[in-house]
Amino acid sequence: MTRGVELIRLLTLLWLRLKRPFLLWQLDRARLRWVDGVPLTVLPGVHDPVVFRTGRFLARAIAELPPTHATADAPPHALDMGTGSGIAAIFAARQGYHVLGVDVSAAATRCARANVLINDLQEQVRILQGDLFAPVHGKQFDLVTFNPPFYRGQPRSEADVAWRSPDVIERFAAGLPLVLLPKGRALIVFSSDGDESGLIEALRQNGFTTMPVVRRNFHNEVVTVYAATRRTTSAEPSL
């Protein structure tokens, strides 16, 4: 890292620290967000896809990728893991997917269901509460999306589940082969603040190749959306 890049990062972190009291004040209240013309209500205790940007970043990546294996008689199906406000599920539905959104948080499932109604997508999107793949046992999907907790450790509160977990990356990677169709694709958004190498290694051990489809340097962190597909050759995943 060059001295100039490091200086920019330090200044960005200082600016975020100065903004922190205002951000925390916002997060204690219900608020309305707009992402590319899509309205979203965000309830207290639910990951804000705009303030923390990874939800919006993943949603925009979904919007730029065409649906996989769509036919007139059989629309593609998507699973939005850790749906939070429901933003990724809603953007997938706007791309033509029939979507199941899952979150372990009761507050998040209430929030996502409200946003499905606000966007009149109740015929395409259902929201379920549960831990990872438990609510969708036996189902398979063309697309799986995930905005996982980036930090290792035990969550300190229900809201902290969106940020911290000791093993969610490994459990997600282990369960993905059962729910992703053979020619399906998983899109996972991740921050350089987290264990990116651990994510890629966990997916590799479970038979997946990963590659970045979009990446952006926000100065305080680099955010990447990775595509994971079943490995069909001996090629190793690459960054």
Side-chain angles (χ1 to χ4, degrees), residues 97-173:
Y97 288 94
H98 283 216
V99 188
L100 287 179
V102 175
D103 205 293
V104 71
S105 163
T109 53
R110 287 194 298 269
C111 183
R113 286 167 181 160
N115 286 319
V116 169
L117 291 172
I118 289 170
N119 286 278
D120 196 25
L121 288 170
Q122 55 269 35
E123 296 299 317
Q124 279 182 260
V125 184
R126 282 202 304 136
I127 305 297
L128 306 173
Q129 184 179 357
D131 182 39
L132 284 179
F133 302 111
V136 295
H137 178 74
K139 298 182 183 296
Q140 290 190 302
F141 303 87
D142 301 281
L143 174 69
V144 176
T145 61
F146 194 24
N147 184 358
F150 303 141
Y151 301 104
R152 297 281 189 178
Q154 291 295 334
R156 301 165 185 167
S157 65
E158 183 178 351
D160 200 37
V161 169
W163 290 102
R164 209 176 314 274
S165 171
D167 60 358
V168 73
I169 290 172
E170 289 77 15
R171 292 195 297 122
F172 172 80

Side-chain angles (χ1 to χ4, degrees), residues 27-236:
L27 299 180
D28 285 337
R29 292 158 174 77
R31 53 231 179 258
L32 180 65
R33 302 297 190 199
W34 291 84
V35 177
D36 301 339
V38 174
L40 295 162
T41 184
V42 184
L43 301 178
V46 177
H47 189 278
D48 190 313
V50 175
V51 169
F52 299 116
R53 67 180 158 233
T54 53
R56 177 172 57 185
F57 197 73
L58 176 60
R60 286 174 172 168
I62 294 167
E64 292 177 3
L65 294 173
T68 55
H69 314 113
T71 67
D73 298 326
H77 288 77
L79 169 64
D80 181 31
M81 184 59 60
T83 194
S85 66
I87 183 172
I90 288 167
F91 271 71
R94 286 163 59 90
Q95 286 289 89
Y97 288 94
H98 283 216
V99 188
L100 287 179
V102 175
D103 205 293
V104 71
S105 163
T109 53
R110 287 194 298 269
C111 183
R113 286 167 181 160
N115 286 319
V116 169
L117 291 172
I118 289 170
N119 286 278
D120 196 25
L121 288 170
Q122 55 269 35
E123 296 299 317
Q124 279 182 260
V125 184
R126 282 202 304 136
I127 305 297
L128 306 173
Q129 184 179 357
D131 182 39
L132 284 179
F133 302 111
V136 295
H137 178 74
K139 298 182 183 296
Q140 290 190 302
F141 303 87
D142 301 281
L143 174 69
V144 176
T145 61
F146 194 24
N147 184 358
F150 303 141
Y151 301 104
R152 297 281 189 178
Q154 291 295 334
R156 301 165 185 167
S157 65
E158 183 178 351
D160 200 37
V161 169
W163 290 102
R164 209 176 314 274
S165 171
D167 60 358
V168 73
I169 290 172
E170 289 77 15
R171 292 195 297 122
F172 172 80
L176 187 60
L178 297 176
V179 301
L180 190 66
L181 286 165
K183 294 184 178 181
R185 172 175 57 198
L187 295 178
I188 306 144
V189 64
F190 216 76
S191 166
S192 58
D193 285 344
D195 183 9
E196 284 185 277
S197 61
L199 169 70
I200 292 169
E201 176 61 17
L203 289 165
R204 187 195 69 79
Q205 289 184 7
N206 286 279
F208 291 94
T209 297
T210 59
M211 63 177 295
V213 293
V214 60
R215 174 177 284 158
R216 182 173 172 184
N217 187 345
F218 290 96
H219 301 302
N220 66 306
E221 65 176 341
V222 178
V223 176
T224 305
V225 174
Y226 290 99
T229 54
R230 293 180 188 273
R231 190 165 57 245
T232 55
T233 70
S234 60
E236 290 295 315

